[in-house]
Amino acid sequence: MSLQEQFTQAQQDSKNLPERPDNMTLLKIYALFKQGSAGDVTGERPGMTDFVNRAKYDAWAALKGTAQEDAQQQYIDLIEELKG
């Protein structure tokens, strides 16, 4: 199975985890997914009052420069770990 196929499978698996991850893990999942699918962060950083989207943006921005393939592999590994 190719890396892209594994990444797609991990996306589907992430919707059926045995328990909901904590917020920090959810941010990591989001950031790795975005980096793996879209590359480096784009757009403006959300304002101070938009806490959720600002946290998501910051988590994604922290991965800036990470190769998409590396982010995809980290995403796959994290979902596998959460599956148990």
Side-chain angles (χ1 to χ4, degrees), residues 36-56:
S37 59
D40 286 342
V41 69
T42 57
E44 301 258 334
R45 186 175 187 222
M48 291 291 281
T49 57
D50 192 355
F51 300 113
V52 172
N53 287 322
R54 189 176 179 104
K56 288 171 141 182

Side-chain angles (χ1 to χ4, degrees):
M1 193 181 319
S2 74
L3 182 63
Q4 188 60 48
E5 290 169 335
Q6 291 177 46
F7 186 63
T8 301
Q9 182 61 50
Q11 291 169 30
Q12 293 167 358
D13 292 346
S14 73
K15 296 176 181 139
N16 300 312
L17 295 174
E19 59 184 52
R20 186 178 191 276
D22 62 76
N23 287 342
M24 291 308 292
T25 304
L26 286 172
L27 278 174
K28 187 173 183 178
I29 290 170
Y30 171 83
L32 287 170
F33 173 78
K34 292 296 280 184
Q35 188 71 22
S37 59
D40 286 342
V41 69
T42 57
E44 301 258 334
R45 186 175 187 222
M48 291 291 281
T49 57
D50 192 355
F51 300 113
V52 172
N53 287 322
R54 189 176 179 104
K56 288 171 141 182
Y57 182 94
D58 289 348
W60 184 12
L63 295 176
K64 188 171 187 172
T66 302
Q68 282 185 269
E69 294 79 15
D70 291 343
Q72 288 178 354
Q73 188 60 58
Q74 290 177 45
Y75 179 87
I76 293 163
D77 294 344
L78 179 57
I79 296 302
E80 283 300 314
E81 183 182 316
L82 293 172
K83 281 171 46 180

